[in-house]
Amino acid sequence: MPVRSLPVPDGLDGVRVDAALAKLLGLSRTLAAEAAAAGGVQQDGRTLGKSDRLRAGAWLEVSWHDREEPRVVPIAVPDLGIVHDDDELVVVDKPAGVAAHPSLGWEGPTVVGALAAGGYRIATSGAPERQGIVHRLDVGTSGLMVVAKTETAYAALKRAFKEREVDKVYHAVVQGHPDPLTGTIDAPIGRHPSHSWKFAVTPDGKDAITHYETLEAFRGASLLEVHLETGRTHQIRVHLAAHRHPCVGDPLYGADPTLSARLGLTRQWLHARELSFTHPATGEWASFASEYPADLAHALELLRGE
């Protein structure tokens, strides 16, 4: 078990424990949080939690359990679409069943691994297993992702996503008919109180804003266009489920398995349809679009025919 003892630098005064340990010791935020949860972080003899703040000049003692960090395995993904490619970035059309980047417990293909297998060179300061990743799509969500290839693009795109200067448009088929047909869901999202692998609308969660508009209504379902103002994990799925309109095919958040089976869906009907941002090199507004993959298009046609 590694152990480090050192004073808190002035530059980390007031910084959260998990973020500070990531900068100070090079730990991942997840590993830093685990160390705090296990009682392995003490400041002047007082045990700290992951969200406590450090104090400049205080004596910090940290211990943690080493574990194997995720690593990039080059695995080709034949149906990963390359929508745009230049010296600064690559825009991909991610199929369902592919994760954005490697993570503990995931042994399937990733966007980072697929790009490595395709000979794409990513040179950014991101963690090795997440290099170039400035935003993510769930494994079961298909559609557009931008990956930075240079440090300049990485920094610019990270800032643009943080400052909400990127337009992200999704299409989702949900159960039922939202009322009103067009609206905004403004509700904080955090970890589910009783299921560590789920998220939920919680009072102490991070702010999350989702705008939706009904494009088509079917018998018992609706096709929505969704604009994300924020980018929380599972945001669309959580917000729509909280309003009793879960994405069709999404059992994690309450979808009807009978309807999913009838439509031949084995994942949520959710697709990252459009992605627009200021290109970090040219300064011009760049927009990209993606067609529905075969499984979603088939399910939509079945709904239209009912």
Side-chain angles (χ1 to χ4, degrees), residues 107-192:
E107 298 181 353
T110 66
V111 171
V112 174
L115 291 175
Y120 290 85
R121 185 176 180 182
I122 307 297
T124 75
S125 60
E129 74 276 7
R130 300 188 184 189
Q131 283 210 339
I133 297 296
V134 294
H135 70 126
R136 293 175 292 179
L137 294 179
D138 297 340
V139 170
T141 299
S142 53
L144 297 170
M145 279 184 61
V146 58
V147 180
K149 294 169 68 175
T150 68
E151 186 63 37
T152 299
Y154 182 79
L157 289 171
K158 287 284 283 187
R159 184 199 61 80
F161 275 96
K162 181 179 180 180
E163 299 298 325
R164 305 179 185 180
E165 297 172 353
V166 177
D167 282 350
K168 298 168 285 183
V169 180
Y170 294 74
H171 281 190
V173 171
V174 302
Q175 293 178 195
H177 306 114
D179 183 15
L181 296 176
T182 298
T184 296
I185 303 172
D186 186 349
I189 291 177
R191 288 283 182 183
H192 194 286

Side-chain angles (χ1 to χ4, degrees), residues 136 161 164 168 207-209 228-235:
R136 293 175 292 179
F161 275 96
R164 305 179 185 180
K168 298 168 285 183
D207 66 304
I209 302 173
L228 287 186
E229 194 168 318
T230 53
R232 307 305 175 201
T233 303
H234 296 184
Q235 179 173 322

Side-chain angles (χ1 to χ4, degrees), residues 18-43:
D18 52 359
L21 294 184
K23 294 179 179 179
L24 189 60
L25 303 177
L27 305 179
S28 69
R29 288 282 288 267
T30 300
L31 188 55
E34 289 177 356
V41 182
Q42 292 190 330
Q43 180 174 252

Side-chain angles (χ1 to χ4, degrees), residues 170-181 185 210 212-226 236-250 253-256 259-260 263 265 268-271 300 303:
Y170 294 74
H171 281 190
V173 171
V174 302
Q175 293 178 195
H177 306 114
D179 183 15
L181 296 176
I185 303 172
T210 302
Y212 70 88
E213 174 186 356
T214 301
L215 299 179
E216 292 185 62
F218 315 108
R219 182 167 63 85
S222 304
L223 173 64
L224 307 184
E225 180 165 290
V226 180
I236 294 174
R237 300 163 66 191
V238 170
H239 269 173
L240 294 174
H243 280 247
R244 297 184 174 86
H245 299 291
C247 292
V248 172
D250 189 2
Y253 290 104
D256 178 4
L259 176 59
S260 304
L263 298 178
L265 287 173
Q268 64 265 17
W269 205 115
L270 181 59
H271 185 66
L300 195 58
L303 286 169

